[in-house]
């Protein structure tokens, strides 16, 4: 079999997987919709009209729910019938540490009616899980709400949430693949790369030579110091991005979470700041060959840029990945919204939406790589800038 | 999402530092070392190839030079030999002709000598013969008195004439 036919087969397979997954996710969301309407039927007649438009399908709520962190990895189903992995909840409360499974939360749903609005949360002992945030229960054992926001105190939440589990999963995959690659190098020493090693080598070489080394202007000595860190960053981001695109594993949104990209960007900021040499700081604090009044303008800008650069890295990555997820979910919502008018319209829109979703999925695959590439490239450039040699 | 959870941040920091440490030690170090070794090996091999090539070129050119030298030497030797041969022949010829000349000269001398000797002998012989003839003639002539007188007279006149 030639390489071309293999590639074609692979593409075909990927396409099939995407198509099937999209149809299935459509089915899953349709299920969700049905359940919601059942719930609304149970509601009191006074609020039926209001509740129907509010509760039957709320696209923004659904999308936000899917891109937000959770204390479970939810696969399919609703309420008692859902298939999910319940993650451990770890809380630092006023009385010390608390450990328990999140299944205690998800199996104890509570609904309250506040000013004619239905709010549902989960309760376990003295803790309340509302919009995936854990609060202490108030004196009456409930939630104090104001305009839909909880006013209760919160314990410090160190739970293994869906995102944290996603990080662990990504790290496990990363370690597994790269360890196998490293073993391949040992086994095939003096021979051509084989298996996973042959897959990873072009990627590693691409990042090592075309991203890192070229950012350092071909200065191997300086680049080698940062290469392991930058390679780790690249592969972590890429694997995390890809994890977010795999259907049926809970819809991870690792790199689309600000807390995670904030950590990644902070590391970049710390490394840049601590490896900054006198040329780098000189460039920022005392730009050479610039008149004094320009310095007054330039120096504050340069100092601000130290913080802006990693912030931009963080925002770019988060926004891109989250936007990708939101777009795909928005196409799903489109089907559901039109489907509520009539089934025929829903199916009609569904065909168009699915085509767009497949298209978006391919773009997301590209973006997953591209964002990892851009993050690594800019980080390399910042590191190279911080360790620059005198060249004025 | 856009709310920053400190718990997630803490877990992320721990996890990322751990994975960084693990990958650095167990993955990047061997992988990057293997890649570097291979790059060095390739670089070395390429340099070696270039070196060997230039050495081959040098060897070839030196071989050619050697061959050319050998050829020149052979030609020189041949030329020398030819010259020597010519010289020898020339010398031999000169010597031979000289010898021949010498021989001819000595032969000539000998012939001259012989001739002289023969002439001397002939002269002597002729002298003896003439004397004998003269004796005989004189004896004949002096057999009668008249002739003897006449002769004496004649001889006497001749003697006078001679003075």
């Amino acid at each position: 079999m030639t390489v071309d036919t293999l590639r074609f087969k692979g593409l075909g397979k990927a396409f099939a997987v995407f198509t099937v997954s999209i149809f299935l996710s459509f089915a899953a969301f349709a299920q969700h919709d049905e359940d919601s309407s059942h719930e609304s039927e149970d509601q009191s007649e006074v609020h039926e009209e209001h509740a129907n438009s509010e509760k039957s399908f709320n696209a923004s709520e659904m999308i936000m729910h899917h891109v937000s962190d959770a204390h479970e990895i939810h696969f399919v189903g609703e309420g008692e019938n859902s298939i999910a992995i319940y993650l451990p909840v770890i809380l630092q409360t006023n009385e010390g540490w608390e450990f328990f499974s999140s299944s205690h939360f998800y199996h104890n749903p509570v609904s309250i009616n506040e000013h004619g609005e239905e709010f549902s949360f989960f309760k376990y002992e003295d803790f309340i899980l509302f919009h995936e945030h854990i609060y202490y229960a108030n004196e009456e054992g409930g939630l104090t709400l104001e305009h839909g926001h909880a006013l209760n105190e919160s314990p410090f939440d160190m739970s293994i949430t869906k995102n944290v589990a996603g990080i662990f999963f990504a790290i496990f995959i990363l370690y597994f693949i790269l360890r196998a690659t490293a073993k391949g190098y040992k086994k095939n020493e003096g021979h051509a790369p084989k298996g996973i090693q042959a897959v990873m080598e072009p990627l590693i070489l691409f990042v090592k030579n075309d991203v890192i080394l070229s950012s350092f202007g071909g200065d191997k000595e300086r680049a080698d110091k940062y290469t392991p860190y930058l390679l780790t960053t690249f592969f972590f981001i890429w694997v995390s991005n890809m994890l977010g695109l795999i259907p049926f594993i809970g819809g991870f949104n690792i790199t689309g979470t600000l807390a995670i990209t904030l950590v990644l960007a902070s590391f970049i900021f710390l490394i840049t700041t601590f490896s900054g040499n006198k040329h780098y700081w000189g460039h920022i604090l005392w730009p050479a060959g610039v008149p004094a009044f320009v310095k007054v303008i330039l120096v504050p800008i340069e100092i601000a840029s130290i913080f802006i650069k990693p912030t931009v890295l963080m925002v770019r990555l988060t926004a891109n990945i989250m936007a990708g997820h939101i777009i795909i979910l928005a196409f799903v919502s489109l089907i559901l919204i039109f489907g509520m008018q009539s089934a025929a319209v829903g199916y009609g829109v569904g065909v168009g939406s699915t085509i767009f979703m497949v298209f978006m999925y391919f773009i997301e695959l590209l973006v997953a790589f591209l964002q990892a590439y851009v993050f690594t490239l800019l980080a390399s450039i910042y590191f190279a800038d911080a360790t620059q040699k005198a060249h004025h | 999402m856009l709310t920053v959870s400190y718990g997630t941040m803490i877990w992320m920091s721990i996890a990322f530092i751990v994975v960084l440490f693990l990958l650095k030690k167990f993955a990047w170090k061997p992988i990057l070392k293997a890649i570097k070794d291979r790059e060095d090996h390739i670089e070395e091999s390429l340099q070696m190839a270039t070196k060997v090539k230039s050495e081959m070129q040098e060897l070839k050119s030196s071989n050619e030079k050697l061959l050319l030298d050998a050829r020149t030497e052979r030609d020189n030797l041949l030329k020398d030999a030819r010259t020597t041969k010519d010289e020898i022949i020339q010398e031999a010829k000169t010597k031979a002709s000289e010898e021949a000349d010498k021989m001819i000269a000595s032969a000539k001398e000998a012939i001259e000598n012989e001739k002289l000797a023969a002439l001397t002998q002939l002269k002597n012989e002729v002298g003896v013969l003439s004397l004998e003839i003269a004796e005989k003639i004189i004896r004949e002539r002096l057999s009668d008195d008249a002739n003897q007188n006449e002769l004496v007279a004649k001889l006497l006149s001749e003697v006078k004439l001679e003075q």
Side-chain angles (χ1 to χ4, degrees):
Chain A
M1 214 185 285
T2 64
V3 179
D4 273 330
T5 58
L6 266 174
R7 194 178 295 153
F8 181 74
K9 270 196 139 187
L11 257 178
K13 230 181 234 173
F15 185 78
V17 167
F18 282 136
T19 319
V20 167
S21 67
I22 284 155
F23 274 114
L24 283 173
S25 58
F26 166 56
F29 288 123
Q31 180 77 34
H32 173 105
D33 178 42
E34 234 169 69
D35 289 348
S36 309
S37 30
H38 281 308
E39 271 172 42
S40 62
E41 273 170 31
D42 298 336
Q43 283 173 7
S44 59
E45 291 207 340
V46 188
H47 301 295
E48 199 186 81
E49 188 89 22
H50 180 64
N52 227 346
S53 60
E54 194 71 8
K55 258 292 230 170
S56 52
F57 181 72
N58 184 333
S60 75
E61 199 173 84
M62 186 277 269
I63 290 170
M64 282 307 140
H65 176 73
H66 278 84
V67 296
S68 299
D69 205 359
H71 287 77
E72 62 173 348
I73 299 174
H74 184 248
F75 298 110
V76 70
E78 281 292 321
E80 290 291 318
N81 305 319
S82 63
I83 301 164
I85 296 174
Y86 296 108
L87 297 164
V89 175
I90 303 165
L91 300 172
Q92 195 197 12
T93 66
N94 299 332
E95 282 95 44
W97 293 92
E98 286 274 351
F99 302 90
F100 55 90
S101 163
S102 70
S103 65
H104 294 297
F105 274 135
Y106 291 107
H107 291 153
N108 291 300
V110 181
S111 279
I112 54 162
N113 205 319
E114 191 91 9
H115 309 299
E117 256 188 277
E118 188 82 6
F119 291 101
S120 53
F121 55 84
F122 302 102
K123 191 163 182 269
Y124 172 66
E125 289 177 352
D126 285 338
F127 304 108
I128 284 171
L129 182 70
F130 178 61
H131 283 313
E132 290 300 338
H133 190 91
I134 296 172
Y135 301 93
Y136 291 117
N138 58 20
E139 278 87 47
E140 295 96 56
L143 202 58
T144 317
L145 285 166
E146 198 183 277
H147 305 301
H149 294 283
L151 300 175
N152 298 36
E153 296 261 307
S154 289
F156 186 64
D157 190 359
M158 274 282 282
S159 307
I160 309 293
T161 58
K162 189 172 85 176
N163 282 337
V164 176
I167 294 167
F168 292 163
F169 191 29
I171 283 171
F172 176 76
I173 293 171
L174 212 56
Y175 185 75
F176 180 75
I177 290 175
L178 290 168
R179 188 75 194 122
T181 310
K183 275 184 186 151
Y185 276 105
K186 209 168 204 176
K187 211 176 85 190
N188 300 330
E189 204 181 345
H191 296 280
K194 251 195 232 162
I196 194 130
Q197 184 198 0
V199 178
M200 295 305 289
E201 178 164 320
L203 287 166
I204 294 170
L205 286 180
F206 166 72
V207 178
K208 179 180 169 285
N209 295 332
D210 295 337
V211 179
I212 303 169
L213 195 59
S214 64
S215 300
F216 279 87
D219 186 347
K220 274 189 183 159
E221 204 183 308
R222 279 193 298 146
D224 281 353
K225 245 170 62 186
Y226 299 98
T227 302
Y229 181 80
L230 290 165
L231 279 169
T232 309
T233 307
F234 175 83
F235 282 103
F236 176 78
I237 294 173
W238 191 35
V239 167
S240 302
N241 291 349
M242 294 299 271
L243 264 185
L245 294 176
I246 301 173
F248 303 127
I249 57 164
F252 290 109
N253 186 24
I254 304 167
T255 33
T257 304
L258 209 55
I260 288 160
T261 49
L262 179 64
V263 172
L264 284 172
S266 306
F267 283 153
I268 302 296
F269 168 75
L270 288 175
I271 293 172
T272 312
T273 307
F274 284 109
S275 48
N277 60 16
K278 65 169 192 257
H279 301 294
Y280 171 70
W281 290 115
H283 201 85
I284 288 168
L285 301 172
W286 203 247
V290 171
F293 73 94
V294 178
K295 273 189 185 122
V296 173
I297 307 164
L298 211 55
V299 170
I301 292 172
E302 288 281 5
I303 289 169
S305 81
I306 300 172
F307 301 98
I308 291 169
K309 281 171 177 177
T311 312
V312 167
L313 278 185
M314 171 183 81
V315 172
R316 181 190 298 109
L317 180 57
T318 317
N320 269 286
I321 302 307
M322 204 167 59
H325 286 213
I326 288 173
I327 282 185
I328 288 172
L329 289 165
F331 279 121
V332 175
S333 305
L334 211 60
I335 304 170
L336 298 175
I337 290 164
F338 279 93
M340 279 192 319
Q341 311 293 318
S342 83
V345 177
Y347 285 117
V349 172
V351 172
S353 256
T354 307
I355 291 166
F356 272 109
M357 261 192 278
V358 171
F359 174 69
M360 279 315 298
Y361 241 111
F362 279 108
I363 288 187
E364 282 311 303
L365 282 176
L366 176 71
V367 166
F369 182 85
L370 204 65
Q371 287 306 317
Y373 166 75
V374 167
F375 194 100
T376 315
L377 178 70
L378 289 173
S380 319
I381 289 169
Y382 298 159
F383 292 169
D385 196 34
T387 57
Q388 62 187 294
K389 285 174 178 160
H391 52 72
H392 295 295
Chain B
M1 256 293 284
L2 300 179
T3 46
V4 174
S5 149
Y6 294 114
T8 307
M9 279 182 70
I10 291 167
W11 281 117
M12 172 63 192
S13 307
I14 295 167
F16 196 75
I17 288 166
V18 167
V19 76
L20 182 64
F21 172 78
L22 284 177
L23 286 183
K24 201 171 174 179
K25 188 154 185 213
F26 297 111
W28 299 130
K29 214 172 147 192
I31 289 171
L32 292 174
K33 194 182 169 288
I35 288 174
K36 194 177 179 298
D37 284 354
R38 200 180 47 196
E39 271 170 5
D40 288 352
H41 181 72
I42 290 167
E43 184 72 35
E44 222 168 73
S45 300
L46 282 175
Q47 272 176 4
M48 185 83 98
T50 320
K51 214 175 120 193
V52 166
K53 207 173 158 192
S54 74
E55 257 170 25
M56 282 278 286
Q57 201 70 37
E58 224 167 75
L59 211 68
K60 207 174 153 198
S61 71
S62 86
N63 271 356
E64 259 165 22
K65 199 170 163 275
L66 219 65
L67 206 66
L68 200 72
D69 280 359
R71 238 179 235 142
T72 323
E73 184 127 354
R74 189 198 61 186
D75 286 352
N76 280 344
L77 277 175
L78 277 177
K79 213 169 116 191
D80 280 1
R82 211 171 279 137
T83 325
T84 318
K85 182 194 78 181
D86 285 352
E87 265 170 18
I88 289 168
I89 289 170
Q90 201 59 41
E91 210 176 322
K93 266 188 189 159
T94 325
K95 231 177 201 168
S97 71
E98 264 174 23
E99 203 75 10
D101 284 353
K102 233 186 227 169
M103 275 169 81
I104 288 166
S106 72
K108 268 185 184 161
E109 205 180 343
I111 287 166
E112 201 68 28
N113 286 346
E114 286 298 314
K115 201 173 105 185
L116 276 176
L119 275 177
T120 322
Q121 207 176 346
L122 197 66
K123 272 180 189 164
N124 292 342
E125 293 273 326
V126 168
V128 172
L129 270 175
S130 323
L131 279 175
E132 271 176 14
I133 292 166
E135 206 188 293
K136 271 180 187 164
I137 293 169
I138 291 166
R139 204 171 280 160
E140 195 76 24
R141 284 268 189 101
L142 295 176
S143 50
D144 60 299
D145 287 346
N147 285 350
Q148 274 182 15
N149 290 335
E150 198 185 334
L151 186 61
V152 169
K154 204 185 165 185
L155 284 171
L156 284 170
S157 69
E158 262 173 32
V159 168
K160 261 181 191 168
L161 272 170
E162 258 174 51
Q163 278 180 337

